[in-house]
Amino acid sequence: MTALRWIVLGLAALLMNLPVIATLATSLKPPAEIMGNPGLWVESPTLANYATVVTVSDRLDVWAYLGNSAAAATLGAALPLLLCLPLAFVAARRGYGRRLLLPLVVNLRALPLIIFAIPIYLMYQSAGLLDTRVGLGLVLAVVNLPLTALILLNAIADIPRELDEAAAMDGARTGRMIWRILVPALRPALATSFVFGFITAWNEFLFGLMLTTREAVPMTVGASFFFAGAGGGVQWGVAAAVIVVAMLPPVLLGLLMYRQIGQAMVAGAVKG
Amino acid sequence: MTPRARENRWLVAPAVAFLLLMLGFPTVLNVIYSLSDVSFETLRSPRLDGLGNYGEVLSDGAFWASLSFSLRFGALTAVAEVLLGLFLAVFLAPLLRRHPWLLAVLTLPMMIAPAMMGLMYRLMLHEFVGPLPHYLFLWFGSSPAFLSPAWAFWTIAAIEVLQWTPFTLLLFHLAYASIPGEVREAARMDGARAFRLFRRIELPMLLPTVLVALLIRLIDGIRVFDNIWVLVGAGAGGSTTSLPIYIYTAFFRGGPLGPALAASVLFALAAFATLALALRLAGRRAP
Amino acid sequence: MTRTTSLIALMALAFPLAAPAAAEVTVLGWPGGPEEAALRAAAEAYNARPETAEEDRVELLFTSRDGFFDKLAADLAAGSTAFDANLIATYSIGRYAPFMRPVDLGPQAAATFGDAVLSTMQFEGEQFGVPTDLSLHFLYVRRDLMDALLADPEAQATYTRIAQERLGEALAPKPPEDWTWRDWAAASLYFSQSVNPDSPTRYGTVLQMKNLLFNMMVFQSLPRAYGADWMDAEGNVTVDSEAYRTGLELYKLLYDAGATPPDSTSYEYAEANAAYASGQVASMVQWNAAAGELTSEETAPAVAAVTDTLPPPAGPEGRFTHVHSLGLGINAAAENPEGAERFLQWLATPEAMAVYARAGGAPGLAGDALAAVAADRPDLAQLGDYAVNYGYVMRGATGANALAVYERQAADFTGYWAGTSTLDEALASATEGMTELLAPPAQ
């Protein structure tokens, strides 16, 4: 039976990760081989594609894009924590906002946010936030509000009320109680929300495209700079290499935190 | 107002203020645009026009086609992801418990930006330079035309399912792992065999998770844009136009913007109603 | 408390404010590929000139190729000042003209490019940009396969039989230079294994049938050769015509017969090139930009040495290729429009175009300007020649809604090819859409 489980695991892992494997293989092939050898076994491996990606040129600067993404995604993942913590607290502990505010926030997840692209563009233009990391980060924060709110809401609901009541009896005011008592207990949930938010923010393309031009270009948009070959074609080798580079930060972050992700996701999911 | 009520307001104030700041003006503007005759040239001076755009959208066959596409796509992928995730989580539970690092490998697909995923699939599925057709030809002598009109929907659905099953897998793995050991022990002592144990005891305990997973993935499935757009665009004859793609193409077609925004407002209202209903039902279920 | 403050301070460091723009000319160019390399070379040469004033120095800006035109639309509509000059294309001038200002290219422009090429950057009688790169279509063909066919009488018999069976006409193989569209179809059928099991290639051709407006440009040279046009002189939409029907049916015939890969309904430029470069396709109608890639041993070793580039096949009304140009025009909200205009005027001179062409650009040059680069870029003569002799622009294709028309056609025609609608339905829908889009603005 165990052998069967291993086989199923292997198949599942292989099938689901097939694009990752293919991308890796392609990134190691020279252009001629990409056209000539469709197999996954690389005949003449080369690091030339990666060299192209990491070389800073007048036009392409992968380090700048990575930096921009890191800054904007950090803001986009951290800000929701600050905003949703008090919101989740009053909703979980006092039922305040459960009927209207909370569904409204969670519903944001269902909206195709491109409809806000033009109005936000106009707003940012007047506010001077176009092509800035702050501007992009703020929009990414909006994108992450729904899931963060949901995760924190359920995490708080999991913490026994007696804890707050004990703190209140010791004379602690609400703010201090949240900070001193709840936050430490919420560390897994906060970490999880941050990671999910970071990954989501990191992978955002449309707002990155519309709201930046030169200074604050994130990695998803910057990656597409590498794709283009002559006349509209795609240079597959370099494209594959840049996709691998672009996915490293969220993958590493996810790998470090997978345990935490799992734990808080359960609490979030089961309570609904 | 009691001190507590006042405190409540202060606590939600940051979130509310942020939302008003970021989305207040855009929402108002979008509603105005949806009721106006406006194009890229007249962005700053829309001309109010009444419900004409809504009428146009509701009578546009392509809108309903895209809605149908999105609903079918969302439902199919959500169900597939939940079934596969549940199966894998339960079947592989012993392995995952002993070697937690395996989860890392299984959740890798979620970490890639959908737009990039679509680009790599363009290469992977290409008849001449893609590994998939290559090996299929090698082993079976032929390979399906993955992106032809007959197959495109299924191919894209398969791609979506493969990328997001890890999400449900993780969800169910931990729900399953958090079932108290005593429950299982008790059932086993009563003589229950594995499958009966699962069906009678464990599955009911997993049911809330199943419902939430279905809901989340349904919403996400309806919302899919990047994957489809990069791979097949709107599709031959508009055959792979999901609702977001419909809105996107309507938006950037270079004519009046009103209809695109009317479509998004309609979609937003429908989504809100559905979600509010679902949350109310879930709320009734929770202790 | 101190930890939080330092954390906040650290975050603040990550967000420097954007520097104020220097007084210069910012040019938004077409990213990636030879156009970018050529523009860089030109900008460098311009900045190095002693006559170029300090405040007219050109700085280049490139954004993403994906979504480039959508983003450009948003930027222009919002009156962005991030660039003074930007890329435009013949088919989108109408769309962007409201946000751009006409430009005076100076006295040398007409001699450098010729009137035909200059007109690709005109809208409603005004010049809106300098045409820096010409785009048209070649017929890429495997010379080795065609030579072998022409030397083998048995193969020729098979060819004629297939032509009779599938096209109803007993055609004999001809050299590709003499092809009509019917010959091209016959050859495509012959070289497809699903029609001719002995064919050396799997497919006779590769059609780009993705629902994409650019694929319509590739397609429409075929109906044009039968006399098609978007509108007649009175302004009636004439897409439901014998010419269009012939063209659409020919593509469908080839698709259904298996003369093009079954995934062709999702193919555009990159996929078609990959198919041809694999060596399994006998001919292809494709943009001229692919010539570099497909004739280079490094990127297409299987076919580079045996590929010829010819003008598209001919029809009863002649030989045609769609032609458009990419160019640079001036943003109406530019901060330094005069400086931008000076740069564009310099670009329209033979010296500038020589730099541009040598660095990889593909301008349509005439007279002395062409002679100056003929040695380095012999292909430019071919380009210019085809543009002048075979180039056409559909009536209405430079209008404000040209892009929308292409998009409408793409949706309708690909639907027919994919089998989701009949020919009559597709043409009716196209006529309806085009009539609305091409209607003269209400007075």
Side-chain angles (χ1 to χ4, degrees):
Chain A
M1 197 56 172
T2 314
L4 188 60
R5 291 189 211 268
W6 277 107
I7 294 176
V8 170
L9 178 80
L11 275 172
L14 193 69
L15 259 182
M16 294 194 297
N17 284 316
L18 204 55
V20 181
I21 300 171
T23 309
L24 260 167
T26 309
S27 69
L28 296 168
K29 290 182 186 171
E33 189 184 334
I34 293 177
M35 288 296 133
N37 168 31
L40 287 175
W41 185 255
V42 186
E43 277 158 19
S44 31
T46 168
L47 287 176
N49 295 322
Y50 286 100
T52 312
V53 170
V54 297
T55 314
V56 178
S57 77
D58 197 18
R59 150 109 169 93
L60 301 167
D61 184 356
V62 70
W63 308 109
Y65 309 144
L66 287 170
N68 290 334
S69 273
T74 304
L75 176 60
L79 187 56
L81 296 181
L82 289 171
L83 298 173
C84 290
L85 183 57
L87 173 66
F89 173 74
V90 297
R93 288 291 191 245
R94 301 173 185 175
Y96 183 78
R98 275 203 106 123
R99 246 173 329 143
L100 191 64
L101 184 56
L102 201 62
L104 208 67
V105 170
V106 174
N107 194 56
L108 284 177
R109 190 180 178 90
L111 290 180
L113 291 170
I114 63 148
I115 59 176
F116 293 123
I118 299 280
I120 292 182
Y121 184 104
L122 294 174
M123 262 175 34
Y124 273 20
Q125 206 182 23
S126 349
L129 281 174
L130 274 183
D131 208 13
T132 60
R133 293 156 149 183
V134 176
L136 188 58
L138 289 176
V139 172
L140 296 173
V142 173
V143 174
N144 282 323
L145 281 177
L147 196 58
T148 306
L150 211 55
I151 291 179
L152 291 181
L153 173 71
N154 291 293
I156 294 182
D158 261 357
I159 298 175
R161 275 177 194 270
E162 297 81 54
L163 233 59
D164 332 357
E165 275 152 24
M169 292 220 286
D170 286 346
R173 275 177 33 251
T174 314
R176 177 154 282 217
M177 188 258 297
I178 294 181
W179 186 252
R180 281 281 153 86
I181 308 288
L182 282 182
V183 169
L186 285 174
R187 207 169 286 146
L190 290 168
T192 309
S193 306
F194 181 82
V195 170
F196 262 146
F198 188 90
I199 292 175
T200 309
W202 186 275
N203 287 339
E204 170 62 36
F205 180 78
L206 192 72
F207 281 114
L209 176 70
M210 287 290 156
L211 299 177
T212 69
T213 317
R214 183 186 359 205
E215 308 290 330
V217 176
M219 192 61 211
T220 37
V221 179
S224 66
F225 292 2
F226 290 90
F227 294 167
V234 181
Q235 6 174 29
W236 296 106
V238 178
V242 82
I243 290 178
V244 170
V245 169
M247 84 186 192
L248 281 178
V251 166
L252 286 172
L253 193 62
L255 287 180
L256 288 172
M257 315 282 291
Y258 69 82
R259 217 185 221 144
Q260 256 106 328
I261 295 182
Q263 278 170 354
M265 267 180 77
V266 176
V270 174
K271 293 301 168 76
Chain B
M1 206 189 302
T2 66
R4 175 146 280 200
R6 207 175 301 137
E7 187 180 68
N8 287 345
R9 278 170 199 246
W10 276 111
L11 284 171
V12 302
V16 172
F18 180 69
L19 277 174
L20 280 176
L21 201 68
M22 296 295 299
L23 295 183
F25 168 71
T27 309
V28 170
L29 194 63
N30 274 341
V31 173
I32 292 180
Y33 279 166
S34 74
L35 296 168
S36 321
D37 178 11
V38 62
S39 69
F40 267 102
E41 289 130 46
T42 56
L43 271 188
R44 292 196 162 87
S45 51
R47 194 165 51 88
L48 273 177
D49 199 40
L51 294 170
N53 292 323
Y54 287 89
E56 198 180 308
V57 169
L58 289 171
S59 58
D60 183 3
F63 171 74
W64 294 107
S66 70
L67 186 62
S68 151
F69 179 91
S70 275
L71 284 173
R72 276 182 296 134
F73 187 83
L76 178 69
T77 55
V79 168
E81 285 156 16
V82 165
L83 287 177
L84 275 173
L86 189 59
F87 166 71
L88 286 173
V90 172
F91 191 65
L92 300 177
L95 293 183
L96 293 172
R97 217 174 299 143
R98 232 174 295 140
H99 311 279
W101 57 267
L102 286 172
L103 270 176
V105 175
L106 288 171
T107 55
L108 209 58
M110 283 196 307
M111 314 281 183
I112 304 180
M116 301 200 189
M117 193 67 122
L119 188 72
M120 280 329 292
Y121 268 104
R122 262 174 83 183
L123 181 68
M124 267 185 59
L125 298 176
H126 192 281
E127 183 176 341
F128 294 109
V129 297
L132 205 57
H134 173 79
Y135 287 116
L136 286 176
F137 265 111
L138 217 56
W139 300 334
F140 301 111
S142 85
S143 144
F146 289 105
L147 299 175
S148 64
W151 283 89
F153 179 86
W154 300 103
T155 304
I156 301 172
I159 291 174
E160 179 79 0
V161 168
L162 286 176
Q163 185 172 13
W164 289 102
T165 296
F167 183 89
T168 57
L169 165 58
L170 206 48
L171 213 60
F172 290 129
H173 166 69
L174 294 137
Y176 192 67
S178 72
I179 292 177
E182 307 88 61
V183 173
R184 288 210 185 87
E185 277 310 307
R188 220 168 270 133
M189 290 217 293
D190 286 346
R193 272 168 39 249
F195 189 65
R196 177 157 277 214
L197 172 70
F198 177 69
R199 205 155 59 88
R200 285 286 158 91
I201 310 284
E202 293 171 335
L203 190 54
M205 295 185 80
L206 291 174
L207 212 51
T209 316
V210 170
L211 290 172
V212 172
L214 271 175
L215 183 67
I216 295 183
R217 289 310 308 163
L218 178 64
I219 292 177
D220 286 350
I222 293 176
R223 256 187 347 141
V224 166
F225 178 83
D226 292 314
N227 253 348
I228 305 181
W229 183 251
V230 173
L231 203 57
V232 283
S239 53
T240 60
T241 303
S242 66
L243 190 54
I245 290 182
Y246 173 86
I247 294 175
Y248 182 90
T249 47
F251 204 77
F252 285 106
R253 208 177 286 149
L257 299 175
L261 288 158
S264 359
V265 170
L266 285 172
F267 180 51
L269 288 175
F272 184 72
T274 315
L275 200 68
L277 189 67
L279 279 178
R280 192 159 294 182
L281 284 174
R284 235 181 270 149
R285 200 179 275 278
Chain C
M1 226 40 215
T2 355
R3 229 183 355 157
T4 328
T5 340
S6 47
L7 202 65
I8 295 175
L10 212 77
M11 284 183 73
L13 272 179
F15 305 126
L17 295 168
E24 79 220 329
V25 175
T26 310
V27 177
L28 175 66
W30 184 233
E35 299 89 355
E36 184 185 328
L39 187 57
R40 281 188 189 280
E44 251 177 61
Y46 182 72
N47 289 340
R49 284 166 83 232
E51 304 95 333
T52 308
E54 198 50 45
E55 61 271 13
D56 279 351
R57 292 178 60 83
V58 165
E59 197 186 281
L60 296 177
L61 176 64
F62 296 100
T63 58
S64 163
R65 195 181 270 242
D66 284 323
F68 180 90
F69 286 112
D70 293 332
K71 180 170 167 56
L72 183 62
D75 283 337
L76 284 175
S80 168
T81 54
F83 47 86
D84 300 294
N86 58 273
L87 181 90
I88 38 171
T90 310
Y91 47 79
S92 59
I93 293 189
R95 180 179 180 190
Y96 296 122
F99 311 110
M100 306 189 61
R101 42 186 275 177
V103 59
D104 172 17
L105 289 179
Q108 299 203 45
T112 311
F113 297 108
D115 286 322
V117 171
L118 266 187
S119 70
T120 59
M121 284 274 117
Q122 287 168 359
F123 178 67
E124 290 183 351
E126 305 245 42
Q127 190 77 30
F128 271 91
V130 57
T132 54
D133 291 276
L134 215 52
S135 265
L136 44 81
H137 302 123
F138 288 155
L139 175 70
Y140 293 84
V141 91
R142 289 280 299 277
R143 187 187 339 125
D144 57 331
L145 298 176
M146 300 304 154
D147 287 344
L149 171 63
L150 289 169
D152 179 352
E154 241 180 70
Q156 290 166 23
T158 315
Y159 181 105
T160 310
R161 177 179 56 80
I162 291 176
Q164 176 68 54
E165 262 170 33
R166 303 287 184 135
L167 297 174
E169 200 184 325
L171 298 164
K174 278 191 237 158
E177 297 81 11
D178 301 331
W179 275 0
T180 66
W181 284 104
R182 305 266 295 167
D183 291 315
W184 166 78
S188 301
L189 288 165
Y190 173 81
F191 281 108
S192 302
Q193 277 171 2
S194 57
V195 176
N196 172 16
D198 300 321
S199 162
T201 55
R202 204 184 292 171
Y203 299 105
T205 186
V206 51
L207 302 172
Q208 296 169 61
M209 292 159 62
K210 184 176 183 178
N211 180 352
L212 188 68
L213 61 99
F214 295 106
N215 290 346
M216 290 301 104
M217 298 176 189
V218 179
F219 163 67
Q220 66 181 11
S221 304
L222 165 45
R224 180 63 168 203
Y226 284 83
D229 206 340
W230 282 9
M231 296 189 293
D232 60 20
E234 286 88 45
N236 302 313
V237 169
T238 52
V239 72
D240 192 344
S241 60
E242 259 322 296
Y244 263 104
R245 280 177 186 266
T246 310
L248 289 168
E249 280 168 345
L250 198 59
Y251 260 51
K252 180 129 174 88
L253 188 151
L254 290 173
Y255 180 69
D256 289 340
T260 180
D263 270 350
S264 296
T265 49
S266 70
Y267 274 21
E268 49 159 314
Y269 184 81
E271 286 88 354
N273 287 347
Y276 184 85
S278 74
Q280 289 297 326
V281 171
S283 75
M284 171 175 70
V285 179
Q286 177 64 288
W287 299 95
N288 63 302
E293 184 184 329
L294 296 176
T295 53
S296 145
E297 281 296 332
E298 209 181 275
T299 48
V303 298
V306 290
T307 294
D308 270 350
T309 55
L310 305 169
E317 301 294 321
R319 190 181 292 271
F320 291 99
T321 168
H322 164 100
V323 65
H324 72 250
S325 62
L326 293 181
L328 295 169
I330 304 184
N331 180 1
E335 283 173 341
N336 186 359
E338 302 84 16
E341 192 167 61
R342 282 191 278 274
F343 177 58
L344 297 189
Q345 279 171 352
W346 175 78
L347 275 180
T349 61
E351 307 83 62
M353 275 297 125
V355 174
Y356 193 83
R358 285 202 194 98
L365 301 173
D368 293 335
L370 179 60
V373 295
D376 301 294
R377 295 290 304 274
D379 59 309
L380 287 186
Q382 184 190 26
L383 204 65
D385 173 41
Y386 289 5
V388 167
N389 291 321
Y390 311 123
Y392 73 89
V393 176
M394 291 285 194
R395 186 176 281 131
T398 50
N401 283 332
L403 277 180
V405 168
Y406 282 118
E407 273 168 6
R408 181 58 176 252
Q409 287 182 342
D412 292 327
F413 295 169
T414 57
Y416 164 62
W417 289 329
T420 60
S421 68
T422 67
L423 183 55
D424 292 319
E425 283 166 356
L427 286 173
S429 170
T431 309
E432 183 194 324
M434 286 173 69
T435 311
E436 204 182 295
L437 291 166
L438 292 171
Q443 299 304 11

